Amino acid sequence: ILLVLGKAPLGLYSIAMQLAMIPLEKVNVTVNAVSFSTFSRLHREPERLRRWFLKLLTLRAVLTFPMLVGLALVADDVLPAVLGEKWRPLVPLFQILAPVGAIMVASTAFTPLFNAIGRPDLALKYTAISALTSTVAFYIGCSTAGLIGVCIAWALLYPVLFLGMLVLTARASGVGAGEALMAMGSPAFAVVVMAVAVLAVRSWFPGDSHLIARFASSLAVGAIAYAGTVAAVSGRALWADVASLS
C-alpha cells in the first residue's frame, strides 16, 4: 500500500484494520486464557478437547459477530461522529473489513488447539501461507482499485484461507470443517437477521436529519433481533455451554 498509494492511504487502511481488530483483541485476552489452561489439561482426552474447543468457538462467535457486523451497519453514523468528519473515508473500508475481522476471531481460536495437541507448526504454516497469498492479493487489489481493492481482496481471500485451514487440519486437530462451521452457525444466522432488521430501520431515517434517532433505533432493534434469534435457535444449548465453561 505504501509503495503503490503512499502514506495517507496506508494510514487510513491501518486505522480501519485496527478498528476491525478491537473485538478480536478483547476476546482473545479473555477466551485464550481459558483455552490455554483447559486445552493443556485435556490434551490427552481428544474427544473432550474437541467438545470444549467447539463450545469456545461458539462463544467467540456469539460475542464478536454482532459487535463487528453491528458496528459496520452503523459505521457511517458512528465513525464520523466519534473520530471527526475528516475520517469519513474510513467508513467503506471498515464496512468491508468488519466481516474479515469476524472470521479472524474464528481462525485465531485454532492456535491454542494446535499448541495443545503438539502441532504448533500448523499455525505457523497457516500464517506463512496467509502472508504469501495476501501479499499477492493486496498488490492486485491495490493496483486495480486502490484501498477499496485491498479491502475487497481481504474479504475474498480470507474466507478461502480459513476454509482451507479447516479442511487441511481436520485430521490432525480432530475438529471437522463441518462441525466447526456448525458451531458458528447460530450466531452467524442471528447476525443475518440482525442485519436485515437494522437495514430496515435505517431505511426509515434517510439523510442525516434524524441521525441520533436512526442510531438509537438501529442499536435497539439490532440488539433485540440478535438476542431473540440466538435465544430462539439455540438459547438453552448456548446457556448450557456457557455454564459448563465456568
Side-chain angles (χ1 to χ4, degrees), residues 220-241:
V221 170
I224 292 170
Y226 180 77
T229 304
V230 169
V233 173
S234 59
R236 291 184 179 179
L238 177 61
W239 281 117
D241 287 345

Side-chain angles (χ1 to χ4, degrees), residues 189-198 219-231:
F189 175 70
V191 158
V192 172
V193 174
M194 179 191 76
V196 171
V198 170
L219 186 64
V221 170
I224 292 170
Y226 180 77
T229 304
V230 169

Side-chain angles (χ1 to χ4, degrees), residues 20-138:
M21 293 298 102
I22 289 175
L24 171 64
E25 294 168 358
K26 299 300 183 183
V27 169
N28 274 350
V29 169
T30 303
V31 179
N32 279 357
V34 177
S35 301
F36 180 78
S37 60
T38 302
F39 292 174
S40 298
R41 190 172 66 251
L42 298 177
H43 73 282
R44 296 185 185 279
E45 303 178 63
E47 181 56 29
R48 288 188 64 195
L49 178 61
R50 183 187 66 84
R51 291 199 303 268
W52 270 78
F53 172 77
L54 292 173
K55 291 177 182 180
L56 287 170
L57 184 59
T58 300
L59 181 60
R60 283 173 176 266
V62 166
L63 292 174
T64 57
F65 283 10
M67 294 168 59
L68 283 164
V69 176
L71 185 54
L73 291 168
V74 299
D76 56 340
D77 292 339
V78 173
L79 295 186
V82 174
L83 301 178
E85 191 63 31
K86 69 176 182 178
W87 294 104
R88 186 170 288 276
L90 276 176
V91 171
L93 306 181
F94 176 78
Q95 288 175 325
I96 298 172
L97 290 174
V100 178
I103 300 174
M104 285 184 176
V105 169
S107 68
T108 56
F110 282 80
T111 300
L113 177 64
F114 293 154
N115 291 336
I117 63 175
R119 293 296 307 273
D121 60 295
L122 295 176
L124 291 174
K125 290 175 182 176
Y126 175 66
T127 301
I129 293 172
S130 297
L132 178 62
T133 54
S134 62
T135 299
V136 176
F138 284 4

Side-chain angles (χ1 to χ4, degrees), residues 12 18 33 41 70 123 204 220:
L12 277 177
Q18 287 172 16
R41 190 172 66 251
W204 300 339

